[in-house]
Amino acid sequence: MKPVVVIIGAGASGLMVADYLSDYEVDVCVYEQMPSAGRKILWAGKTGLNITHSEPMADFVGRYVPDDWLDAFLYRYDNAWLVAWLSALGVQTYTGSSGRVFPVEMKASPFLRAWLKRLLAHHVRFFYRHRCVAIDNNTLRLTATDKHGQNTTFDKTFDAIVLACGGGSYAKLGSTGTWQAWFANDELSPLYASNVGVVKAWSPFMNAYFGKALKRIAVWVDSPEQKSQGDIIISHYGMESGLIYKYNRQMRDDLARCGRICMMVDLLPDKHERDIEQILSQKKKSLNTLLQKAGLDKVKIALLRECTDKVDWTNHQMMAKYIKQLPVIFTDFRPIDEAISTGGGVKRSALTDGLQLKSNPNVFCCGEMLDFDAPTGGYLLTACFATGRVVGESVAQHLNLSLKHKDKS
Ligand SMILES: Cc1cc2nc3c(=O)[nH]c(=O)nc-3n(C[C@H](O)[C@H](O)[C@H](O)COP(=O)(O)OP(=O)(O)OC[C@H]3O[C@@H](n4cnc5c(N)ncnc54)[C@H](O)[C@@H]3O)c2cc1C
């Protein structure tokens, strides 16, 4: 009899464990509570599926917190490995001008389809609408829901258990975070929203600008030396965009320290304050005309007016200063369920170097449920794939599995 490995979760990390183990003499069973696999991958595909980043690995690994935990995994299964792995699956990629790597087709469905087809051909078995509700040693309690919504709960014992249950955001895609109940308190860091929008109560004047972009601005949170350029979307609740996500970590510290977040905005990063001041000092022209002349569009003018005191509007020196350093105050982050990812999760100290749970060696963990954080840019998926692969290796070693003979697979 072959050993049986169960993987809970058919997301990026769980499928990667299955992919690795499908080369071995082992029965691989994937239990997924949703009716189909890879729902978050498909959702991420709506914005092109940024699968990894092409920057040198020395910079790449520096994007993660904690700053050295994942290094060994990421160097073993790095951005170049991932691109080659996708190519072997028939998915060609291209690198954008920002260094981000995407499938040429800019969507996730062809990739996911090809991957599932290969896993099925390699005899990986999928059990959809099956939810894991408890773990006892190497036995799982599972609830199966049939197409009429009837639930059946049963216990099943496995040779190894892989938890690849995702983080705690976008619950509608399956990552509900209920797995936290299976761990002792000291094995977990509380989940928090990462790569998420920030909250600001706008005056009614801003309603006309919801959904509009502040283009080619520069922002920073702690120090102007950490300034970055990009675009930000103004929304009814505050602001959103990759540029906001990039500063989420510093914003979290700011919120904890001061009870609010102060982001500085340079509305015209290519212009010098002195030149702006000169334009604004011209007489007999309305403020709007002068601001436009200085290079601000309507959205930037609206934000400038919203975040400054009316008494300063006639002071061209002050206004030039604000254009270069506009403090925008936020009061909170959007709820965790809206976050692109969650930080926190199963702690490094609870796991071995092979991501095996110290308190129960039958259990292995991978993907976003691990206690790491990273910005958007392909870093999240790369970490899920790398940790999935590493868990595959650890399970193979733990069960002393032998490779399949090629002609049998
Ligand atoms: C809108 C959006 C866009 C994104 N875009 C990108 C991007 O472009 N690039 C990037 O790198 N990252 C992106 N991400 C993040 C990335 O998609 C995730 O980090 C990654 O998919 C997480 O993979 P995972 O395998 O850890 O978890 P998931 O993909 O969440 O999979 C976990 C699976 O486990 C199942 N599960 C959970 N609990 C149970 C249970 N008890 N029983 C049975 N099944 C269970 C869930 O149903 C789910 O299918 C994006 C995320 C979102 C929300």
Side-chain angles (χ1 to χ4, degrees), residues 273-290:
E273 188 177 320
R274 212 181 28 240
D275 302 329
I276 299 171
E277 195 191 315
Q278 210 167 37
I279 297 171
L280 298 188
S281 64
Q282 292 170 22
K283 303 269 182 280
K284 296 188 188 151
K285 289 209 167 83
S286 74
L287 178 64
N288 257 18
T289 308
L290 292 173

Side-chain angles (χ1 to χ4, degrees), residues 8-15 31-34 36-41 43-45 47-52 102 130-133 142 164-167 169-170 173-179 182 339-341 366-369 372 375-382 384:
I8 303 299
S13 58
L15 293 178
Y31 283 78
E32 166 57 56
Q33 63 186 348
M34 302 300 281
S36 59
R39 293 198 166 204
K40 201 170 255 185
I41 300 177
W43 201 272
T47 45
L49 195 68
N50 179 193
I51 211 133
T52 191
F102 301 87
H130 279 68
R131 190 169 77 255
C132 174
V133 290
L142 295 151
C165 303
S169 67
Y170 277 69
L173 305 178
S175 40
T176 50
T178 51
W179 50 265
W182 309 333
I340 297 286
S341 63
C366 56
E368 206 183 299
M369 65 185 293
F372 75 89
T376 54
Y379 303 103
L380 295 160
L381 279 172
T382 308
C384 291

Side-chain angles (χ1 to χ4, degrees), residues 211-258:
K212 300 260 179 354
L214 289 158
K215 292 206 167 131
R216 291 182 297 280
I217 56 168
V219 304
W220 67 97
V221 173
D222 287 335
S223 132
E225 270 119 64
Q226 293 166 350
K227 206 187 249 196
S228 293
Q229 290 201 28
D231 300 348
I232 287 179
I233 305 294
I234 295 178
S235 73
H236 67 280
Y237 56 73
M239 286 188 181
E240 181 87 46
S241 82
L243 194 55
I244 294 280
Y245 304 159
K246 190 170 177 179
Y247 289 92
N248 266 190
R249 207 178 293 163
Q250 284 144 299
M251 289 174 163
R252 244 186 319 274
D253 293 344
D254 207 15
L255 186 64
R257 216 175 31 239
C258 317

Side-chain angles (χ1 to χ4, degrees), residues 333-346:
F333 290 98
R334 289 296 285 171
I336 194 164
D337 196 44
E338 289 179 23
I340 297 286
S341 63
T342 50
V346 185

Side-chain angles (χ1 to χ4, degrees), residues 68-364:
D68 61 345
W69 184 21
L70 304 187
D71 289 13
F73 313 144
L74 293 165
Y75 273 111
R76 192 137 87 244
Y77 296 108
D78 64 8
N79 44 13
W81 174 86
L82 189 53
V83 166
W85 177 84
L86 285 161
S87 171
L89 192 61
V91 178
Q92 302 314 315
T93 52
Y94 85 96
T95 305
S97 55
S98 62
R100 292 172 182 229
V101 179
F102 301 87
V104 167
E105 294 190 66
M106 289 297 283
K107 49 187 180 182
S109 44
F111 157 52
L112 187 62
R113 225 176 6 253
W115 199 9
L116 291 172
K117 191 172 163 196
R118 188 168 77 184
L119 291 171
L120 287 168
H122 287 191
H123 311 296
V124 172
R125 294 193 288 147
F126 287 87
F127 299 83
Y128 295 114
R129 296 189 170 91
H130 279 68
R131 190 169 77 255
C132 174
V133 290
I135 304 176
D136 179 13
N137 197 15
N138 59 344
T139 301
L140 297 185
R141 176 149 296 174
L142 295 151
T143 297
T145 308
D146 70 16
K147 53 181 184 239
H148 308 294
Q150 293 292 335
N151 288 335
T152 314
T153 297
F154 60 98
D155 291 346
K156 204 166 161 60
T157 298
F158 299 92
D159 295 288
I161 296 166
V162 173
L163 300 180
C165 303
S169 67
Y170 277 69
K172 65 179 177 187
L173 305 178
S175 40
T176 50
T178 51
W179 50 265
Q180 291 170 92
W182 309 333
F183 292 85
N185 281 347
D186 62 356
E187 291 176 317
L188 292 178
S189 286
L191 295 186
Y192 60 84
S194 184
N195 299 306
V196 70
V198 278
V199 174
K200 180 171 180 59
W202 301 112
S203 72
F205 165 74
M206 290 299 286
N207 290 5
Y209 301 94
F210 294 165
K212 300 260 179 354
L214 289 158
K215 292 206 167 131
R216 291 182 297 280
I217 56 168
V219 304
W220 67 97
V221 173
D222 287 335
S223 132
E225 270 119 64
Q226 293 166 350
K227 206 187 249 196
S228 293
Q229 290 201 28
D231 300 348
I232 287 179
I233 305 294
I234 295 178
S235 73
H236 67 280
Y237 56 73
M239 286 188 181
E240 181 87 46
S241 82
L243 194 55
I244 294 280
Y245 304 159
K246 190 170 177 179
Y247 289 92
N248 266 190
R249 207 178 293 163
Q250 284 144 299
M251 289 174 163
R252 244 186 319 274
D253 293 344
D254 207 15
L255 186 64
R257 216 175 31 239
C258 317
R260 54 103 184 96
I261 299 158
C262 178
M263 182 178 79
M264 302 300 291
V265 180
D266 180 347
L267 291 166
L268 294 174
D270 300 330
K271 289 215 166 132
H272 200 279
E273 188 177 320
R274 212 181 28 240
D275 302 329
I276 299 171
E277 195 191 315
Q278 210 167 37
I279 297 171
L280 298 188
S281 64
Q282 292 170 22
K283 303 269 182 280
K284 296 188 188 151
K285 289 209 167 83
S286 74
L287 178 64
N288 257 18
T289 308
L290 292 173
L291 292 173
Q292 277 171 17
K293 227 173 152 195
L296 298 179
D297 62 21
K298 285 183 179 158
V299 192
K300 290 180 177 177
I301 293 173
L303 184 73
L304 183 68
R305 284 180 178 270
E306 176 75 3
C307 298
T308 50
D309 206 321
K310 212 169 179 175
V311 292
D312 291 330
W313 292 358
T314 48
N315 181 336
H316 56 260
Q317 275 163 334
M318 284 294 284
M319 291 310 274
K321 199 173 231 12
Y322 280 136
I323 288 170
K324 293 299 289 177
Q325 296 184 43
L326 182 68
V328 183
I329 307 296
F330 303 99
T331 51
D332 210 344
F333 290 98
R334 289 296 285 171
I336 194 164
D337 196 44
E338 289 179 23
I340 297 286
S341 63
T342 50
V346 185
K347 282 182 186 173
R348 179 184 194 172
S349 58
L351 298 161
T352 67
D353 290 345
L355 300 176
Q356 186 176 26
L357 196 60
K358 288 179 186 169
S359 63
N360 181 356
N362 299 302
V363 172
F364 299 76

